[in-house]
PDB file of all heavy atoms in Angstrom:
ATOM      1  N   ALA A1040      -5.178  -2.828 -20.388  1.00 98.00           N
ATOM      2  CA  ALA A1040      -5.333  -3.023 -19.003  1.00 98.00           C
ATOM      3  C   ALA A1040      -4.735  -4.385 -18.662  1.00 98.00           C
ATOM      4  O   ALA A1040      -4.236  -4.587 -17.455  1.00 98.00           O
ATOM      5  CB  ALA A1040      -6.839  -2.938 -18.652  1.00 98.00           C
ATOM      6  N   GLU A1041      -4.900  -5.437 -19.433  1.00 98.00           N
ATOM      7  CA  GLU A1041      -4.379  -6.741 -19.046  1.00 98.00           C
ATOM      8  C   GLU A1041      -2.889  -6.693 -18.983  1.00 98.00           C
ATOM      9  O   GLU A1041      -2.292  -7.198 -17.951  1.00 98.00           O
ATOM     10  CB  GLU A1041      -4.720  -7.705 -20.208  1.00 98.00           C
ATOM     11  CG  GLU A1041      -4.159  -9.143 -19.971  1.00 98.00           C
ATOM     12  CD  GLU A1041      -4.422 -10.100 -21.184  1.00 98.00           C
ATOM     13  OE1 GLU A1041      -4.593  -9.648 -22.237  1.00 98.00           O
ATOM     14  OE2 GLU A1041      -4.372 -11.336 -20.872  1.00 98.00           O
ATOM     15  N   ILE A1042      -2.182  -6.034 -19.841  1.00 98.00           N
ATOM     16  CA  ILE A1042      -0.797  -5.909 -19.713  1.00 98.00           C
ATOM     17  C   ILE A1042      -0.408  -5.210 -18.391  1.00 98.00           C
ATOM     18  O   ILE A1042       0.572  -5.507 -17.643  1.00 98.00           O
ATOM     19  CB  ILE A1042      -0.190  -5.214 -20.867  1.00 98.00           C
ATOM     20  CG1 ILE A1042      -0.308  -6.149 -22.197  1.00 98.00           C
ATOM     21  CG2 ILE A1042       1.328  -4.854 -20.760  1.00 98.00           C
ATOM     22  CD1 ILE A1042       0.041  -5.400 -23.483  1.00 98.00           C
ATOM     23  N   ALA A1043      -1.131  -4.043 -18.187  1.00 98.00           N
ATOM     24  CA  ALA A1043      -0.747  -3.173 -17.037  1.00 98.00           C
ATOM     25  C   ALA A1043      -0.966  -4.014 -15.751  1.00 98.00           C
ATOM     26  O   ALA A1043      -0.161  -3.929 -14.712  1.00 98.00           O
ATOM     27  CB  ALA A1043      -1.561  -1.952 -17.053  1.00 98.00           C
ATOM     28  N   LEU A1044      -2.130  -4.600 -15.512  1.00 98.00           N
ATOM     29  CA  LEU A1044      -2.477  -5.351 -14.325  1.00 98.00           C
ATOM     30  C   LEU A1044      -1.551  -6.540 -14.121  1.00 98.00           C
ATOM     31  O   LEU A1044      -1.275  -6.759 -13.017  1.00 98.00           O
ATOM     32  CB  LEU A1044      -3.992  -5.774 -14.333  1.00 98.00           C
ATOM     33  CG  LEU A1044      -4.971  -4.565 -14.299  1.00 98.00           C
ATOM     34  CD1 LEU A1044      -6.253  -5.036 -14.668  1.00 98.00           C
ATOM     35  CD2 LEU A1044      -4.941  -3.856 -12.901  1.00 98.00           C
ATOM     36  N   LYS A1045      -1.237  -7.199 -15.152  1.00 98.00           N
ATOM     37  CA  LYS A1045      -0.367  -8.378 -15.010  1.00 98.00           C
ATOM     38  C   LYS A1045       1.077  -7.998 -14.512  1.00 98.00           C
ATOM     39  O   LYS A1045       1.811  -8.726 -13.950  1.00 98.00           O
ATOM     40  CB  LYS A1045      -0.319  -9.210 -16.291  1.00 98.00           C
ATOM     41  CG  LYS A1045      -1.528 -10.078 -16.424  1.00 98.00           C
ATOM     42  CD  LYS A1045      -1.439 -10.891 -17.758  1.00 98.00           C
ATOM     43  CE  LYS A1045      -2.658 -11.903 -17.889  1.00 98.00           C
ATOM     44  NZ  LYS A1045      -2.512 -12.807 -19.022  1.00 98.00           N
ATOM     45  N   ALA A1046       1.357  -6.681 -14.891  1.00 98.00           N
ATOM     46  CA  ALA A1046       2.621  -6.160 -14.475  1.00 98.00           C
ATOM     47  C   ALA A1046       2.477  -5.523 -13.117  1.00 98.00           C
ATOM     48  O   ALA A1046       3.588  -4.940 -12.594  1.00 98.00           O
ATOM     49  CB  ALA A1046       3.082  -5.083 -15.471  1.00 98.00           C
ATOM     50  N   GLY A1047       1.399  -5.626 -12.438  1.00 98.00           N
ATOM     51  CA  GLY A1047       1.266  -5.187 -11.058  1.00 98.00           C
ATOM     52  C   GLY A1047       0.910  -3.680 -10.927  1.00 98.00           C
ATOM     53  O   GLY A1047       1.253  -3.036  -9.965  1.00 98.00           O
ATOM     54  N   LYS A1048       0.378  -3.099 -12.014  1.00 98.00           N
ATOM     55  CA  LYS A1048       0.148  -1.611 -12.025  1.00 98.00           C
ATOM     56  C   LYS A1048      -1.280  -1.312 -11.729  1.00 98.00           C
ATOM     57  O   LYS A1048      -2.146  -2.024 -12.205  1.00 98.00           O
ATOM     58  CB  LYS A1048       0.626  -0.917 -13.262  1.00 98.00           C
ATOM     59  CG  LYS A1048       2.004  -1.377 -13.775  1.00 98.00           C
ATOM     60  CD  LYS A1048       3.148  -1.065 -12.872  1.00 98.00           C
ATOM     61  CE  LYS A1048       4.456  -1.477 -13.332  1.00 98.00           C
ATOM     62  NZ  LYS A1048       5.538  -1.310 -12.382  1.00 98.00           N
ATOM     63  N   HIS A1049      -1.528  -0.265 -11.027  1.00 98.00           N
ATOM     64  CA  HIS A1049      -2.960   0.225 -10.901  1.00 98.00           C
ATOM     65  C   HIS A1049      -3.353   0.833 -12.250  1.00 98.00           C
ATOM     66  O   HIS A1049      -2.511   1.253 -13.021  1.00 98.00           O
ATOM     67  CB  HIS A1049      -2.918   1.424  -9.854  1.00 98.00           C
ATOM     68  CG  HIS A1049      -2.501   0.878  -8.545  1.00 98.00           C
ATOM     69  ND1 HIS A1049      -3.230  -0.034  -7.752  1.00 98.00           N
ATOM     70  CD2 HIS A1049      -1.394   1.051  -7.792  1.00 98.00           C
ATOM     71  CE1 HIS A1049      -2.666  -0.262  -6.547  1.00 98.00           C
ATOM     72  NE2 HIS A1049      -1.524   0.376  -6.628  1.00 98.00           N
ATOM     73  N   VAL A1050      -4.674   1.027 -12.449  1.00 99.00           N
ATOM     74  CA  VAL A1050      -5.095   1.556 -13.750  1.00 99.00           C
ATOM     75  C   VAL A1050      -6.160   2.507 -13.589  1.00 99.00           C
ATOM     76  O   VAL A1050      -7.167   2.405 -12.810  1.00 99.00           O
ATOM     77  CB  VAL A1050      -5.605   0.373 -14.644  1.00 99.00           C
ATOM     78  CG1 VAL A1050      -6.369   0.751 -15.787  1.00 99.00           C
ATOM     79  CG2 VAL A1050      -4.582  -0.677 -15.045  1.00 99.00           C
ATOM     80  N   LEU A1051      -6.009   3.670 -14.358  1.00 99.00           N
ATOM     81  CA  LEU A1051      -7.132   4.587 -14.477  1.00 99.00           C
ATOM     82  C   LEU A1051      -7.597   4.502 -15.882  1.00 99.00           C
ATOM     83  O   LEU A1051      -6.827   4.681 -16.813  1.00 99.00           O
ATOM     84  CB  LEU A1051      -6.588   5.993 -14.121  1.00 99.00           C
ATOM     85  CG  LEU A1051      -7.750   7.121 -14.176  1.00 99.00           C
ATOM     86  CD1 LEU A1051      -8.857   6.723 -13.194  1.00 99.00           C
ATOM     87  CD2 LEU A1051      -7.261   8.403 -13.917  1.00 99.00           C
TER      88      LEU A1051
END
Side-chain angles (χ1 to χ4, degrees):
E1041 179 184 25
I1042 293 168
L1044 290 167
K1045 284 184 174 179
K1048 311 304 178 183
H1049 302 285
V1050 170
L1051 183 60

